Amino acid sequence: MRTVVDLTRCQGYAQCVFLAPEVFELHGEEGLLYATAVPDDQVGRVRHAAAACPVQAILLGEEVNSGAR
């Protein structure tokens, strides 16, 4: 699965970092680093992180290609 974070939407709440630390990482106080290719064993965690994002900044799978929300 692929993932993209809309960094213009991201407000640095870091819920994704807490829920999927192997995919998302906070760099400094507000910078977010993330893996665009999600390992198979992390898919559930990333889906949970996307659902928990307060600003819905995380796009997953099919959404990545279409840009749809």
Side-chain angles (χ1 to χ4, degrees), residues 4 7 12-14 16-17 22-23 30 32 34-35 39-42 44-46 48-50 61 66 68:
V4 171
L7 296 174
Y13 291 105
C16 57
V17 176
E22 291 187 31
V23 176
E30 295 183 8
L32 182 69
Y34 63 96
D40 291 339
D41 66 335
Q42 295 296 306
R45 288 174 161 261
V46 171
H48 189 84
S66 69

Side-chain angles (χ1 to χ4, degrees), residues 3-25:
T3 185
V4 171
V5 177
D6 182 344
L7 296 174
T8 60
R9 270 188 151 171
C10 179
Q11 298 294 307
Y13 291 105
Q15 294 302 307
C16 57
V17 176
F18 294 115
L19 295 169
E22 291 187 31
V23 176
F24 302 99
E25 176 185 349

